[in-house]
Amino acid sequence: MSVVDKYIDYVKEEAKVEPKKGWKKMVFGFWANKWKTKLAPKKGISKGYQKLEAMMMSLVADTLGEKKPYVWGNIFAPCELMQCFGLQTLSIECLSCYLTGFHLEDYFIDYAQNEGIAPTLCSYHKTFVGAVDSQVVPGPDYAVTTSLSCDGNLNTFRYLEKKIGVPFTFLDVPYSDDRDSVVYLASQLEELAKALEQRTGIRFLEERLKETIRIENETRKELMKFFKLQAVHYYPGELISHLYMMMGMHLLIGTKEFLELIKFMVEDIKTYPKFEGKKILWVHLMPFYQESLKKYFYASKKYQIVASDIILDFMEELDAEKPFESLAKKIIRNLYNGSYEHKADMIEKLADRLCPDAVIHFCHWGCKQASGGSIILKERMQKKGLPMLILDGDGIDKRNSHDGQIKTRLEAFLEMIESGGETC
Ligand code: SF4
């Protein structure tokens, strides 16, 4: 057993009996991992993905360790607005993934369920609720969430407010994309800016938000360039690299630091050889711990994930001169808002731009967003001549995922596309 594994086991047990001490050691673990990823990055992975991993480790370690001001959010919370007040956003879904680094997800999920949380609640939420309920994870001063994509958000954040007194703003996202909806959501965002102004004592400067949006536009353009290049060049990454990219696009979008990284990746990927294998477009979440998926997508020359819909869930240019309206449009037009037809349209556009050879749709256990319309998407992709695999599992709770089944289905699918499944 390595020193790291021993430390993980030790912290895992300590968190159960001495939650506050356990938390301190977990944060130390994040901090140690930050330096490990900076000084001794994983071998066999491209420089860009190494830097991305180090950046995401720093984001979590620095925010929690140095006690920088931050808010809890869900992944669709407008981090651009929080940045105007020097606040980092940490999404509860991503934090839950980090907690699994200490193999505590089973304990937290069971803890939440024993406290009366419905077993049907999404396991990302259950993990987080259990971590807070068991007094391992302390709360920040504020939280911001949205109704986008998931009706579990309101219940979870309401519960956390009641349990440990973290007040929150809930952004009610209209389902339809029309003028009234944009005005309605933009006014909620303006109210949020006022609430953050009062809470932090920092004056809101609209120019700062405009600048953040300008950087965001540039980042999105660069990312699209990178995805197009990733469909042509071999750029070794791993399954979790795409989860880190999703984190960056939702928690650091609008920062110069993240833009610089994507620009670096655009240049770096050009130095890599041509990719000769099969290109995969990934849909929805990344079960980053799943052994077979990890193995098949680790720096593979045969199968490369070229993009994921959850990384690029909004593709338009924002009007920086109307920042609140633009952020409202961004949230309303998100791929995960509205009907499943809307989602299928956007994934189709992504497929048209990147020409993958196949699509893999991961259906997270209990998530209506994932499983609800997967057949619609499969039919759309089939019309384009794109084979699509639907994989069922759980993005976080290993007990709901069966590696044997996933392996069998994945291997059969990859064999099928190897033997000449239709491409676009
Ligand atoms: S995975 Fe699905 S159920 Fe879970 S938080 Fe995301 S949208 Fe909600």
Side-chain angles (χ1 to χ4, degrees), residues 74 76-77 144-155 157 168-175 184-185 188 331 336-338 369:
N74 74 329
F76 304 111
V144 178
T145 191
T146 70
S147 60
L148 203 163
S149 177
C150 186
D151 46 15
N153 282 309
L154 179 57
N155 293 338
F157 281 80
F168 71 102
T169 289
F170 177 70
L171 297 169
D172 179 25
V173 181
Y175 198 68
Y184 172 64
L185 185 54
Q188 292 180 61
I331 299 172
Y336 284 89
N337 191 40
Q369 263 298 337

Side-chain angles (χ1 to χ4, degrees), residues 93 122-125 149-150 152-153 284-285 364 366-370:
E93 301 92 335
C122 170
S123 43
Y124 288 92
H125 286 238
S149 177
C150 186
N153 282 309
H284 209 212
L285 300 164
H364 172 68
C367 176
K368 289 179 241 121
Q369 263 298 337

Side-chain angles (χ1 to χ4, degrees), residues 9 43 66 84 87 89 109 131 193 246 256 299 325 360 371 406:
D9 274 1
K43 292 201 171 71
E66 293 172 19
C84 295
L87 294 167
T89 308
I109 289 170
M246 187 275 285
K256 284 189 186 142
E325 210 173 274
I360 297 183
S371 45
I406 287 183

Side-chain angles (χ1 to χ4, degrees), residues 85 192-205:
F85 300 91
L192 171 60
K194 283 183 200 151
L196 293 174
E197 203 168 39
Q198 276 188 354
R199 198 155 273 283
T200 59
I202 295 171
R203 197 158 69 87
F204 171 67
L205 298 173

Side-chain angles (χ1 to χ4, degrees), residues 249-267:
M249 282 299 286
H250 290 86
L251 307 178
L252 287 178
I253 186 85
T255 63
K256 284 189 186 142
E257 177 198 16
F258 189 62
L259 169 62
E260 288 311 315
L261 173 66
I262 303 299
K263 280 184 173 173
F264 169 84
M265 291 174 84
V266 167
E267 292 310 311

